[in-house]
Amino acid sequence: MEGFWVWCGSVIRGEDDRYHMFAARWPQAYPFFQGYPTTSEVVRAAADTAEGPYAFEEVVLGARGSEYWDGRMTHNPSIHKSGDTYLLFYIGATFAGPSPTPEEITAAGAFCAHPKTAEAYGNIRIGLATAKSVLGPWERRDEPVLFPRPGKWDCQLVTNPAPCVLPDGRLLLLYRSNTPEGLRIGVALADDLDSPFRRLRDDPVLVLPEGFVEDPYVWWEGGHYELIAKDCTGAITGEKGAGVHATAGPDLDFRLSTPPKAYSRRVLWDDGSVTVQGAFERPQLLIQDGRPTHLFAATGDGPGGFNFAKTWNMCVPLR
């Protein structure tokens, strides 16, 4: 989008038979990485085909006041459906006082160096908005659905929501938190839409001898869980930023697949050209009739890290 960074694209087919992408955007006047904790909002775009192109239609989760837990920032959406209800999981945050200007954020330098960015990042929680139509209206909850746990490994924050609607209506939720040893993935479960999430394990899942992951996406297929996630260091797949693939039974004992690599930052375009993307993150699948048909990922035109001139959401059709 002209004038905005875009990230975190998650797509679902609506009741209108069109495809709807829920994504995060924030003003490009702010540095990419430093700007999202205080200025991001969740938007919706739509297309006639899964491959797009998607056209912006509306802001779905905008600012609503610092008195709300998610009143100043929404980000990292993941769209799903349970019965006749659309489920929009996301992260949100708030902070007091006026928003920092782009000049103030830029002058602060490093991520969370500005006190407002640090305050917002420390307040990140996972939320859920629901609607009977993909077009809304969306009902936000007054409280997050998942909080950090004081004194536990996930005491700092909870982010990267990865929900999975199970056949019996229960809701599984993977999430990420930060630890001194690296990023870790936790798991919680709600019995239904009206029930609270409870941790299924006190400790993280998928703790590996080397490396760690973020941006998980999980789905239920044929009696077991499938998981893809970003390889943060390259120690798991041999390529930093590539996709990790793991599976688990109902016991949630995730094990790496053989080989563990699900996808690469190396992209084959439909004109036959090949590029190696500097980032290929926030993987989300479009699942139709029980089968993953398209992989969506956030990317940009930079050489690596978050030094982008522009960003976009990519769609990769799956064989």
Side-chain angles (χ1 to χ4, degrees), residues 166-178:
L166 297 176
D168 60 5
R170 292 180 301 160
L171 303 174
L172 187 85
L173 180 64
L174 298 188
Y175 64 94
R176 188 203 97 206
S177 193
N178 303 347

Side-chain angles (χ1 to χ4, degrees), residues 152-153 155-156 177-184 212:
K152 300 289 188 176
W153 67 271
C155 62
Q156 183 177 357
S177 193
N178 303 347
T179 76
E181 294 76 35
L183 310 181
R184 295 290 184 263
F212 48 87

Side-chain angles (χ1 to χ4, degrees), residues 61-74:
L61 303 177
R64 59 173 180 163
S66 59
E67 68 272 23
Y68 293 96
W69 72 271
D70 60 350
R72 305 296 293 274
M73 182 275 277
T74 56

Side-chain angles (χ1 to χ4, degrees), residues 27 66 104 166 200 207:
S66 59
E104 289 170 340
L166 297 176
L200 289 183
V207 178

